[in-house]
Amino acid sequence: MSKFQKSVAVAVSPRGDASTNDTLISGRRETSEERSWPSLKYEKHVLKEKLPNNGLDTDCGWVEAEDDGEIYRETKEVYDASVVIDGFEQIHRRYCRISENTAIEDAGDCLLNNNNNELKYVRKSVVDQPVPRLPMTPKRVKGGASVSVKKPMPTVHRVLLYSTQSPRMGRKQLSNQRSLSLKQQQGNNKSQGDAHTVILMEPEAKPDGQRSPDDYDRNEDFDDDDDLDNLSNFDESDTASVLSDTEDGYRAHAYKLTHSTDRFTSPQSTPSYLSSQSSEDDLKNPDSLLVPSLFPHVPPYLSFSSNTKKGPRVPPELHRVLKWRITNIMPKVVRLILANSGMRMLKKTNDWMGVWGKHLKSPCFKTIRSYQKINHLPGSFRIGRKDSCWKNLQRQMGKHSNREFGFMPRTYIIPNDLGALRRHWPKYAQRNTKWIIKPPASARGAGIRVINRWGQIPKRRPLIVQKYIERPLLINGSKFDLRLYVLVTSVNPLRVFMYHNGLARFASVKYSAKTDTLNDRCMHLTNYSINKFSSNYSKNEDVNACHGHKWTIKSLWQYLANRGVRTDCLWEALRSLVLRTILAGENGINSMIRANVESKYSCFELFGFDVILDSDLVPWLLEVNISPSLHSELPLDAHVKAPLVQGVLNTALYNVPPKLSMDKQKELAAEFSFPPGTQMCYDKRLYINYLSREEKVKHNTFTRKSMEDRNEYVNEILNNLTPDDVRCLIIAEDELARCAPLERIFPTDQTHKYLKYNDSPRYYNRLLDAWESRYANNRTEGIALLRDYCQNKYHLQVPTPPAKKDSNDEEINPTTKPETVQDGNNS
């Protein structure tokens, strides 16, 4: 609050209403000399305050205004805190501009501002008292003496006033009301002078019955906000909307899924995917650096080694072109795997083949060359930011149902949803609901805390307020969450892989639901970056043990299975949660990729899903991380993350950069025992994103709106495969053959039920759905069919590139020139 002294105190009722003793609260007076400068143009919602310079340092806290270049400064930085007169309570103040002559007139009316920004005349009953001026800063001269200087020209200070959470909305809502008030003010100012000052006005509160939801939204510090936790006058019948909150439909659905008894006949007859994986085989080194594709006339792929053992020998000519760019955030485990695999690690180079770094702004993806691969997708913040993720899930709940997309606890985005949260708060408070507040784009527990009172919520800062899971599943008295690792290698078509292992992270203090423990972050938060500083934190040195405060998911699954939990059903529920989350943001990510990425080869993304289980074994999504931590401080971390990184790099299908001549490629093919004529380097024809005329016709045919029944395309779409179809299926099969220890969870022969969640039908998704439906249980036959196509180089028949796309890549070989489009039939 600005340092304006009260000349007369105003008694205020506990409800915030002005008392019957009419008073005037005015700001600092100005002398006639100070009123000599010209009047200033008044702008809506920006009150201009004229103050002497007072020797203030303009470099401290000042910013230039974007509109007219004038200087802004918050008045709270110029003045001290308000002075409270004994016997009166301090209340919220508002600023408005008023003529000084009107404000200090001995007799007459003053204008009083209420909550609707309407000016009201109030009769003054006491004589104004002078307010002390701010002291002038003396000017120091040589010799240590200080002399008085001439009074400088006044500096115009602007005080920005908003009565809503959004400045833009505040201007819109108040423009009409302020224009009426200004006309009344200007009429008085014309007859009494042009000088203006800023005074503090008492907000006049509305009766409860006359307040609209907008009135509560306009003032974040409304006097009655503290009463939101007072339930004495609360009607319990109003809890209906809270009891039917977004997650209730999902809870019942997920409970049935995780407690299914007829999913398999017995746990022994159909073992879960997790139990079928062997930890000892996760870090097996390849026999050769280059692994052939399943199909002829497709370049081989690089095979990456483990982080603990040097890989096979790399020929010098090949080592010269395998350049990786090192970044400051590249995890140590990634560096070790790349170094053991024979990659060159360079800090300054633009001719790199791969990089593991921070997320780029979407337009920067346009600068990536077609043979370069980066570990991010443009637009992945659609699910990687907490606020964007909730918005996309909320949109899907509106289109489908809470039962299918209500797996994220009810979330409010501040300040946009502050009004809705305020209206519902008494209902939540009646149930003693706890909330967790988080910054929308932070990580590692920064800025997170648990609250249960309205006054604990910051009203201006961007953040999310999320319902707290109050009945979590406890092990040894402590709550925990799961870190799941999910790889997305393509969005159109959608191809998703899920790591069969992960981390279970425990809070270091035993859980208690009592409200006096909410400030204990080591009890309510499971982030390792927080709990590792706790004196109670216990490291787990045995990767297979179920003790300490960090376990592997394999160990957790074994622990739960020994206590009768159907971990196969629980894993299926987690798969479903992951897929629905990705599909919620898929449309936005796909749009960003189409606008900014030239080649289908260029991008992939590793996500970290944080999930918590409640006491009924129902999984709840907490957040999605775009760059999950891969740092390995403990042996348990390296045991989990090293196979993950190795599997991600192998599944991403890295090719040798096209920097070798044809003679060098022939020598390399002979050294690695590949068939003569095998192209050893990246072939951009496999990853083009433009179609021939015939291919476009087929795409339009099988994505028309009238084709809603799956039976209409599931067989016919595979009858006449185009070269573009074959290229799509080749990459999908090669990824699937190299994805261990990851599991492909989309597409499968059972995931066609998720296609309805796409905003519009995707041709490639339907193509892969039909392919999996036909060949999932007879994959050898499908691979043989594709090999026949590739043997005739059918997959290398590409249309002429569009004229607007002029490739800048210098690596194109003479053999990679676009060929003439042939007929789509296999003849």
Side-chain angles (χ1 to χ4, degrees), residues 304-352:
F304 292 86
S305 302
S306 70
N307 65 321
T308 57
K309 187 177 180 181
K310 193 76 174 177
R313 175 185 172 273
V314 181
E317 289 297 326
L318 181 58
H319 176 72
R320 181 179 58 83
V321 300
L322 299 181
K323 302 176 183 178
W324 274 71
R325 184 173 180 176
I326 297 180
T327 63
N328 293 331
I329 67 170
M330 179 182 285
K332 182 179 179 181
V333 64
V334 177
R335 296 191 187 193
L336 290 175
I337 289 177
L338 294 177
N340 289 341
S341 302
M343 305 295 117
R344 291 181 64 190
M345 314 296 287
L346 304 174
K347 289 185 177 181
K348 296 182 179 180
T349 179
N350 292 324
D351 193 24
W352 46 268

Tab-separated table of all heavy atoms in Angstrom, residues 304-352:
chain	number	residue	atom	x	y	z
A	304	PHE	N	23.527	-49.083	-30.112
A	304	PHE	CA	24.248	-48.409	-29.029
A	304	PHE	C	24.599	-49.401	-27.914
A	304	PHE	O	23.843	-50.338	-27.630
A	304	PHE	CB	23.408	-47.269	-28.478
A	304	PHE	CG	23.227	-46.139	-29.461
A	304	PHE	CD1	22.205	-46.169	-30.402
A	304	PHE	CD2	24.099	-45.068	-29.468
A	304	PHE	CE1	22.051	-45.147	-31.317
A	304	PHE	CE2	23.952	-44.034	-30.376
A	304	PHE	CZ	22.920	-44.077	-31.313
A	305	SER	N	25.756	-49.146	-27.299
A	305	SER	CA	26.277	-50.011	-26.250
A	305	SER	C	25.790	-49.557	-24.882
A	305	SER	O	25.053	-48.567	-24.760
A	305	SER	CB	27.809	-50.025	-26.292
A	305	SER	OG	28.278	-50.451	-27.557
A	306	SER	N	26.229	-50.265	-23.852
A	306	SER	CA	25.839	-49.931	-22.485
A	306	SER	C	26.715	-48.813	-21.943
A	306	SER	O	27.655	-48.355	-22.604
A	306	SER	CB	25.958	-51.165	-21.591
A	306	SER	OG	27.322	-51.493	-21.398
A	307	ASN	N	26.411	-48.380	-20.735
A	307	ASN	CA	27.196	-47.313	-20.104
A	307	ASN	C	28.401	-47.838	-19.346
A	307	ASN	O	29.202	-47.053	-18.830
A	307	ASN	CB	26.310	-46.509	-19.150
A	307	ASN	CG	25.825	-47.350	-17.992
A	307	ASN	OD1	25.492	-48.527	-18.154
A	307	ASN	ND2	25.777	-46.763	-16.800
A	308	THR	N	28.554	-49.147	-19.259
A	308	THR	CA	29.618	-49.722	-18.435
A	308	THR	C	30.685	-50.443	-19.243
A	308	THR	O	31.765	-50.715	-18.719
A	308	THR	CB	29.019	-50.707	-17.425
A	308	THR	OG1	28.278	-51.718	-18.134
A	308	THR	CG2	28.077	-49.989	-16.457
A	309	LYS	N	30.411	-50.737	-20.494
A	309	LYS	CA	31.349	-51.554	-21.274
A	309	LYS	C	31.512	-50.968	-22.657
A	309	LYS	O	30.546	-50.556	-23.288
A	309	LYS	CB	30.833	-52.998	-21.356
A	309	LYS	CG	31.805	-53.964	-22.004
A	309	LYS	CD	31.232	-55.371	-21.981
A	309	LYS	CE	32.186	-56.363	-22.637
A	309	LYS	NZ	31.627	-57.734	-22.644
A	310	LYS	N	32.764	-50.973	-23.125
A	310	LYS	CA	33.055	-50.447	-24.460
A	310	LYS	C	32.424	-51.340	-25.519
A	310	LYS	O	32.433	-52.566	-25.423
A	310	LYS	CB	34.575	-50.401	-24.657
A	310	LYS	CG	35.018	-49.589	-25.855
A	310	LYS	CD	34.913	-48.102	-25.577
A	310	LYS	CE	35.498	-47.286	-26.730
A	310	LYS	NZ	35.341	-45.838	-26.497
A	311	GLY	N	31.870	-50.702	-26.534
A	311	GLY	CA	31.203	-51.433	-27.596
A	311	GLY	C	32.155	-51.958	-28.646
A	311	GLY	O	33.386	-51.868	-28.505
A	312	PRO	N	31.619	-52.511	-29.718
A	312	PRO	CA	32.468	-53.062	-30.789
A	312	PRO	C	33.282	-51.980	-31.490
A	312	PRO	O	32.996	-50.794	-31.395
A	312	PRO	CB	31.459	-53.716	-31.740
A	312	PRO	CG	30.157	-53.041	-31.451
A	312	PRO	CD	30.189	-52.678	-30.016
A	313	ARG	N	34.282	-52.436	-32.219
A	313	ARG	CA	35.198	-51.525	-32.911
A	313	ARG	C	34.457	-50.707	-33.964
A	313	ARG	O	33.542	-51.195	-34.629
A	313	ARG	CB	36.324	-52.327	-33.558
A	313	ARG	CG	37.267	-51.500	-34.414
A	313	ARG	CD	38.301	-52.376	-35.118
A	313	ARG	NE	39.063	-51.590	-36.084
A	313	ARG	CZ	38.679	-51.379	-37.339
A	313	ARG	NH1	37.537	-51.900	-37.779
A	313	ARG	NH2	39.428	-50.656	-38.153
A	314	VAL	N	34.885	-49.435	-34.106
A	314	VAL	CA	34.305	-48.524	-35.089
A	314	VAL	C	35.391	-48.164	-36.103
A	314	VAL	O	36.460	-47.670	-35.728
A	314	VAL	CB	33.765	-47.240	-34.416
A	314	VAL	CG1	33.134	-46.323	-35.459
A	314	VAL	CG2	32.763	-47.585	-33.329
A	315	PRO	N	35.170	-48.404	-37.390
A	315	PRO	CA	36.168	-48.030	-38.407
A	315	PRO	C	36.436	-46.527	-38.378
A	315	PRO	O	35.513	-45.726	-38.119
A	315	PRO	CB	35.512	-48.456	-39.724
A	315	PRO	CG	34.522	-49.512	-39.338
A	315	PRO	CD	34.032	-49.127	-37.970
A	316	PRO	N	37.668	-46.100	-38.620
A	316	PRO	CA	38.012	-44.670	-38.546
A	316	PRO	C	37.167	-43.791	-39.465
A	316	PRO	O	36.759	-42.695	-39.067
A	316	PRO	CB	39.489	-44.643	-38.948
A	316	PRO	CG	39.988	-46.008	-38.643
A	316	PRO	CD	38.846	-46.942	-38.896
A	317	GLU	N	36.916	-44.242	-40.689
A	317	GLU	CA	36.124	-43.435	-41.608
A	317	GLU	C	34.693	-43.247	-41.101
A	317	GLU	O	34.084	-42.198	-41.314
A	317	GLU	CB	36.103	-44.086	-42.997
A	317	GLU	CG	37.421	-44.021	-43.739
A	317	GLU	CD	37.830	-42.576	-44.018
A	317	GLU	OE1	36.940	-41.732	-44.253
A	317	GLU	OE2	39.040	-42.287	-43.985
A	318	LEU	N	34.165	-44.255	-40.425
A	318	LEU	CA	32.818	-44.137	-39.870
A	318	LEU	C	32.825	-43.274	-38.614
A	318	LEU	O	31.924	-42.449	-38.403
A	318	LEU	CB	32.272	-45.534	-39.561
A	318	LEU	CG	30.852	-45.603	-38.997
A	318	LEU	CD1	29.854	-44.942	-39.937
A	318	LEU	CD2	30.455	-47.046	-38.730
A	319	HIS	N	33.851	-43.449	-37.788
A	319	HIS	CA	33.955	-42.669	-36.553
A	319	HIS	C	34.037	-41.172	-36.863
A	319	HIS	O	33.529	-40.345	-36.097
A	319	HIS	CB	35.187	-43.119	-35.765
A	319	HIS	CG	35.438	-42.312	-34.527
A	319	HIS	ND1	34.661	-42.387	-33.393
A	319	HIS	CD2	36.384	-41.377	-34.254
A	319	HIS	CE1	35.111	-41.568	-32.474
A	319	HIS	NE2	36.168	-40.925	-32.971
A	320	ARG	N	34.644	-40.823	-37.972
A	320	ARG	CA	34.822	-39.414	-38.328
A	320	ARG	C	33.492	-38.691	-38.521
A	320	ARG	O	33.392	-37.488	-38.234
A	320	ARG	CB	35.664	-39.316	-39.615
A	320	ARG	CG	35.953	-37.893	-40.075
A	320	ARG	CD	36.799	-37.902	-41.332
A	320	ARG	NE	36.155	-38.631	-42.415
A	320	ARG	CZ	35.228	-38.094	-43.222
A	320	ARG	NH1	34.870	-36.822	-43.083
A	320	ARG	NH2	34.680	-38.825	-44.188
A	321	VAL	N	32.450	-39.371	-39.003
A	321	VAL	CA	31.180	-38.703	-39.308
A	321	VAL	C	30.137	-38.871	-38.207
A	321	VAL	O	29.057	-38.268	-38.289
A	321	VAL	CB	30.613	-39.240	-40.642
A	321	VAL	CG1	31.582	-38.971	-41.773
A	321	VAL	CG2	30.277	-40.728	-40.553
A	322	LEU	N	30.422	-39.670	-37.185
A	322	LEU	CA	29.451	-39.898	-36.100
A	322	LEU	C	29.617	-38.804	-35.042
A	322	LEU	O	30.195	-39.017	-33.975
A	322	LEU	CB	29.650	-41.289	-35.492
A	322	LEU	CG	29.458	-42.470	-36.445
A	322	LEU	CD1	29.669	-43.785	-35.713
A	322	LEU	CD2	28.073	-42.432	-37.090
A	323	LYS	N	29.113	-37.620	-35.340
A	323	LYS	CA	29.310	-36.449	-34.483
A	323	LYS	C	28.060	-36.189	-33.648
A	323	LYS	O	26.953	-36.068	-34.192
A	323	LYS	CB	29.612	-35.212	-35.335
A	323	LYS	CG	30.833	-35.347	-36.226
A	323	LYS	CD	31.002	-34.121	-37.105
A	323	LYS	CE	32.169	-34.266	-38.064
A	323	LYS	NZ	32.297	-33.083	-38.962
A	324	TRP	N	28.264	-36.102	-32.366
A	324	TRP	CA	27.197	-35.713	-31.441
A	324	TRP	C	27.573	-34.397	-30.784
A	324	TRP	O	28.731	-34.195	-30.396
A	324	TRP	CB	26.986	-36.776	-30.355
A	324	TRP	CG	26.055	-37.865	-30.787
A	324	TRP	CD1	26.313	-38.826	-31.710
A	324	TRP	CD2	24.725	-38.089	-30.328
A	324	TRP	NE1	25.229	-39.650	-31.849
A	324	TRP	CE2	24.241	-39.214	-31.010
A	324	TRP	CE3	23.900	-37.452	-29.408
A	324	TRP	CZ2	22.964	-39.720	-30.799
A	324	TRP	CZ3	22.630	-37.966	-29.198
A	324	TRP	CH2	22.170	-39.073	-29.894
A	325	ARG	N	26.599	-33.520	-30.663
A	325	ARG	CA	26.854	-32.231	-30.034
A	325	ARG	C	26.561	-32.336	-28.539
A	325	ARG	O	25.459	-32.721	-28.124
A	325	ARG	CB	25.991	-31.142	-30.657
A	325	ARG	CG	26.288	-29.766	-30.120
A	325	ARG	CD	25.541	-28.699	-30.893
A	325	ARG	NE	25.836	-27.376	-30.377
A	325	ARG	CZ	25.366	-26.252	-30.914
A	325	ARG	NH1	24.605	-26.312	-31.994
A	325	ARG	NH2	25.677	-25.082	-30.398
A	326	ILE	N	27.542	-31.967	-27.744
A	326	ILE	CA	27.402	-32.016	-26.284
A	326	ILE	C	26.701	-30.743	-25.810
A	326	ILE	O	27.011	-29.641	-26.252
A	326	ILE	CB	28.770	-32.154	-25.602
A	326	ILE	CG1	29.440	-33.462	-26.005
A	326	ILE	CG2	28.625	-32.093	-24.086
A	326	ILE	CD1	30.791	-33.679	-25.373
A	327	THR	N	25.769	-30.903	-24.906
A	327	THR	CA	25.092	-29.772	-24.279
A	327	THR	C	25.346	-29.805	-22.779
A	327	THR	O	25.760	-30.830	-22.219
A	327	THR	CB	23.574	-29.826	-24.542
A	327	THR	OG1	23.028	-31.007	-23.939
A	327	THR	CG2	23.283	-29.843	-26.032
A	328	ASN	N	25.073	-28.679	-22.129
A	328	ASN	CA	25.328	-28.593	-20.687
A	328	ASN	C	24.399	-29.491	-19.879
A	328	ASN	O	24.725	-29.860	-18.755
A	328	ASN	CB	25.166	-27.140	-20.219
A	328	ASN	CG	26.227	-26.234	-20.800
A	328	ASN	OD1	27.341	-26.669	-21.093
A	328	ASN	ND2	25.896	-24.961	-20.978
A	329	ILE	N	23.247	-29.817	-20.430
A	329	ILE	CA	22.287	-30.612	-19.658
A	329	ILE	C	22.288	-32.082	-20.079
A	329	ILE	O	21.442	-32.841	-19.620
A	329	ILE	CB	20.860	-30.046	-19.814
A	329	ILE	CG1	20.363	-30.219	-21.257
A	329	ILE	CG2	20.795	-28.596	-19.397
A	329	ILE	CD1	18.895	-29.901	-21.418
A	330	MET	N	23.222	-32.480	-20.940
A	330	MET	CA	23.281	-33.888	-21.330
A	330	MET	C	23.660	-34.741	-20.120
A	330	MET	O	24.722	-34.544	-19.521
A	330	MET	CB	24.298	-34.097	-22.451
A	330	MET	CG	24.426	-35.549	-22.892
A	330	MET	SD	25.670	-35.797	-24.184
A	330	MET	CE	24.799	-35.122	-25.598
A	331	PRO	N	22.817	-35.685	-19.714
A	331	PRO	CA	23.122	-36.496	-18.517
A	331	PRO	C	24.378	-37.343	-18.720
A	331	PRO	O	24.742	-37.708	-19.848
A	331	PRO	CB	21.867	-37.369	-18.363
A	331	PRO	CG	20.794	-36.671	-19.138
A	331	PRO	CD	21.497	-35.994	-20.277
A	332	LYS	N	24.992	-37.666	-17.612
A	332	LYS	CA	26.230	-38.446	-17.660
A	332	LYS	C	25.999	-39.815	-18.274
A	332	LYS	O	26.835	-40.318	-19.032
A	332	LYS	CB	26.798	-38.580	-16.254
A	332	LYS	CG	28.113	-39.342	-16.182
A	332	LYS	CD	28.638	-39.419	-14.762
A	332	LYS	CE	29.946	-40.214	-14.688
A	332	LYS	NZ	30.443	-40.303	-13.287
A	333	VAL	N	24.869	-40.434	-17.971
A	333	VAL	CA	24.611	-41.773	-18.497
A	333	VAL	C	24.483	-41.736	-20.015
A	333	VAL	O	24.899	-42.681	-20.710
A	333	VAL	CB	23.336	-42.360	-17.841
A	333	VAL	CG1	22.102	-41.544	-18.208
A	333	VAL	CG2	23.146	-43.809	-18.244
A	334	VAL	N	23.972	-40.652	-20.587
A	334	VAL	CA	23.884	-40.521	-22.040
A	334	VAL	C	25.282	-40.371	-22.635
A	334	VAL	O	25.606	-40.993	-23.666
A	334	VAL	CB	22.990	-39.328	-22.416
A	334	VAL	CG1	22.943	-39.136	-23.921
A	334	VAL	CG2	21.578	-39.516	-21.865
A	335	ARG	N	26.124	-39.576	-21.994
A	335	ARG	CA	27.483	-39.392	-22.499
A	335	ARG	C	28.250	-40.705	-22.493
A	335	ARG	O	28.985	-41.014	-23.448
A	335	ARG	CB	28.217	-38.356	-21.649
A	335	ARG	CG	27.628	-36.958	-21.714
A	335	ARG	CD	28.557	-35.948	-21.078
A	335	ARG	NE	27.958	-34.637	-20.982
A	335	ARG	CZ	28.617	-33.527	-20.698
A	335	ARG	NH1	29.923	-33.587	-20.476
A	335	ARG	NH2	28.000	-32.359	-20.631
A	336	LEU	N	28.107	-41.483	-21.428
A	336	LEU	CA	28.839	-42.743	-21.340
A	336	LEU	C	28.396	-43.709	-22.430
A	336	LEU	O	29.224	-44.385	-23.059
A	336	LEU	CB	28.624	-43.362	-19.960
A	336	LEU	CG	29.280	-42.640	-18.774
A	336	LEU	CD1	28.878	-43.284	-17.462
A	336	LEU	CD2	30.797	-42.641	-18.926
A	337	ILE	N	27.098	-43.793	-22.661
A	337	ILE	CA	26.602	-44.705	-23.692
A	337	ILE	C	27.076	-44.276	-25.073
A	337	ILE	O	27.498	-45.111	-25.894
A	337	ILE	CB	25.064	-44.780	-23.615
A	337	ILE	CG1	24.641	-45.541	-22.364
A	337	ILE	CG2	24.482	-45.429	-24.860
A	337	ILE	CD1	23.142	-45.605	-22.141
A	338	LEU	N	27.044	-42.976	-25.353
A	338	LEU	CA	27.498	-42.488	-26.654
A	338	LEU	C	28.996	-42.711	-26.831
A	338	LEU	O	29.461	-43.107	-27.920
A	338	LEU	CB	27.160	-41.009	-26.801
A	338	LEU	CG	25.669	-40.653	-26.855
A	338	LEU	CD1	25.489	-39.143	-26.922
A	338	LEU	CD2	24.992	-41.316	-28.052
A	339	ALA	N	29.768	-42.460	-25.788
A	339	ALA	CA	31.216	-42.651	-25.885
A	339	ALA	C	31.564	-44.123	-26.084
A	339	ALA	O	32.434	-44.461	-26.910
A	339	ALA	CB	31.895	-42.106	-24.638
A	340	ASN	N	30.908	-45.019	-25.362
A	340	ASN	CA	31.175	-46.450	-25.518
A	340	ASN	C	30.699	-46.988	-26.863
A	340	ASN	O	31.139	-48.046	-27.292
A	340	ASN	CB	30.502	-47.237	-24.392
A	340	ASN	CG	31.171	-47.028	-23.048
A	340	ASN	OD1	32.321	-46.584	-22.978
A	340	ASN	ND2	30.469	-47.330	-21.975
A	341	SER	N	29.812	-46.251	-27.513
A	341	SER	CA	29.295	-46.690	-28.812
A	341	SER	C	30.109	-46.147	-29.972
A	341	SER	O	29.767	-46.409	-31.138
A	341	SER	CB	27.833	-46.250	-28.973
A	341	SER	OG	27.030	-46.771	-27.925
A	342	GLY	N	31.182	-45.381	-29.699
A	342	GLY	CA	32.064	-44.905	-30.754
A	342	GLY	C	31.667	-43.577	-31.349
A	342	GLY	O	32.128	-43.225	-32.444
A	343	MET	N	30.832	-42.766	-30.642
A	343	MET	CA	30.434	-41.458	-31.162
A	343	MET	C	31.504	-40.406	-30.857
A	343	MET	O	32.202	-40.490	-29.837
A	343	MET	CB	29.105	-41.016	-30.538
A	343	MET	CG	27.964	-42.005	-30.685
A	343	MET	SD	27.426	-42.271	-32.377
A	343	MET	CE	27.812	-44.010	-32.568
A	344	ARG	N	31.614	-39.427	-31.717
A	344	ARG	CA	32.484	-38.274	-31.453
A	344	ARG	C	31.678	-37.233	-30.680
A	344	ARG	O	30.608	-36.812	-31.131
A	344	ARG	CB	32.992	-37.674	-32.753
A	344	ARG	CG	33.966	-38.538	-33.511
A	344	ARG	CD	34.417	-37.826	-34.771
A	344	ARG	NE	35.158	-36.585	-34.458
A	344	ARG	CZ	35.500	-35.673	-35.370
A	344	ARG	NH1	35.145	-35.856	-36.640
A	344	ARG	NH2	36.148	-34.600	-35.008
A	345	MET	N	32.195	-36.787	-29.546
A	345	MET	CA	31.499	-35.833	-28.692
A	345	MET	C	32.119	-34.456	-28.897
A	345	MET	O	33.277	-34.220	-28.510
A	345	MET	CB	31.604	-36.252	-27.228
A	345	MET	CG	31.319	-37.735	-26.986
A	345	MET	SD	29.624	-38.196	-27.387
A	345	MET	CE	28.788	-37.449	-26.020
A	346	LEU	N	31.372	-33.552	-29.513
A	346	LEU	CA	31.873	-32.230	-29.859
A	346	LEU	C	31.005	-31.160	-29.212
A	346	LEU	O	29.778	-31.283	-29.170
A	346	LEU	CB	31.883	-32.041	-31.383
A	346	LEU	CG	32.671	-33.082	-32.180
A	346	LEU	CD1	32.480	-32.863	-33.673
A	346	LEU	CD2	34.145	-33.030	-31.822
A	347	LYS	N	31.655	-30.098	-28.741
A	347	LYS	CA	30.926	-29.002	-28.107
A	347	LYS	C	30.467	-27.963	-29.120
A	347	LYS	O	29.393	-27.387	-28.973
A	347	LYS	CB	31.804	-28.333	-27.046
A	347	LYS	CG	32.046	-29.168	-25.810
A	347	LYS	CD	32.815	-28.388	-24.754
A	347	LYS	CE	32.990	-29.218	-23.489
A	347	LYS	NZ	33.729	-28.462	-22.438
A	348	LYS	N	31.276	-27.690	-30.130
A	348	LYS	CA	30.946	-26.650	-31.098
A	348	LYS	C	30.977	-27.242	-32.495
A	348	LYS	O	32.038	-27.407	-33.088
A	348	LYS	CB	31.929	-25.476	-30.994
A	348	LYS	CG	31.873	-24.733	-29.666
A	348	LYS	CD	32.833	-23.554	-29.644
A	348	LYS	CE	32.749	-22.804	-28.322
A	348	LYS	NZ	33.680	-21.640	-28.285
A	349	THR	N	29.795	-27.553	-32.988
A	349	THR	CA	29.660	-28.031	-34.352
A	349	THR	C	28.212	-27.889	-34.781
A	349	THR	O	27.295	-28.053	-33.973
A	349	THR	CB	30.103	-29.501	-34.483
A	349	THR	OG1	29.925	-29.921	-35.838
A	349	THR	CG2	29.282	-30.395	-33.572
A	350	ASN	N	28.006	-27.552	-36.036
A	350	ASN	CA	26.663	-27.513	-36.603
A	350	ASN	C	26.390	-28.713	-37.501
A	350	ASN	O	25.292	-28.859	-38.026
A	350	ASN	CB	26.468	-26.223	-37.407
A	350	ASN	CG	26.442	-24.991	-36.514
A	350	ASN	OD1	25.933	-25.040	-35.396
A	350	ASN	ND2	26.994	-23.900	-37.010
A	351	ASP	N	27.416	-29.553	-37.662
A	351	ASP	CA	27.296	-30.708	-38.546
A	351	ASP	C	27.088	-31.976	-37.717
A	351	ASP	O	27.655	-33.019	-38.008
A	351	ASP	CB	28.557	-30.827	-39.407
A	351	ASP	CG	28.356	-31.797	-40.560
A	351	ASP	OD1	27.197	-32.002	-40.966
A	351	ASP	OD2	29.358	-32.373	-41.033
A	352	TRP	N	26.262	-31.887	-36.687
A	352	TRP	CA	26.032	-33.026	-35.806
A	352	TRP	C	24.946	-33.944	-36.368
A	352	TRP	O	24.115	-33.528	-37.178
A	352	TRP	CB	25.634	-32.541	-34.408
A	352	TRP	CG	24.594	-31.444	-34.401
A	352	TRP	CD1	24.823	-30.108	-34.402
A	352	TRP	CD2	23.166	-31.615	-34.403
A	352	TRP	NE1	23.639	-29.414	-34.401
A	352	TRP	CE2	22.606	-30.311	-34.404
A	352	TRP	CE3	22.311	-32.707	-34.423
A	352	TRP	CZ2	21.222	-30.105	-34.408
A	352	TRP	CZ3	20.932	-32.493	-34.418
A	352	TRP	CH2	20.407	-31.199	-34.416
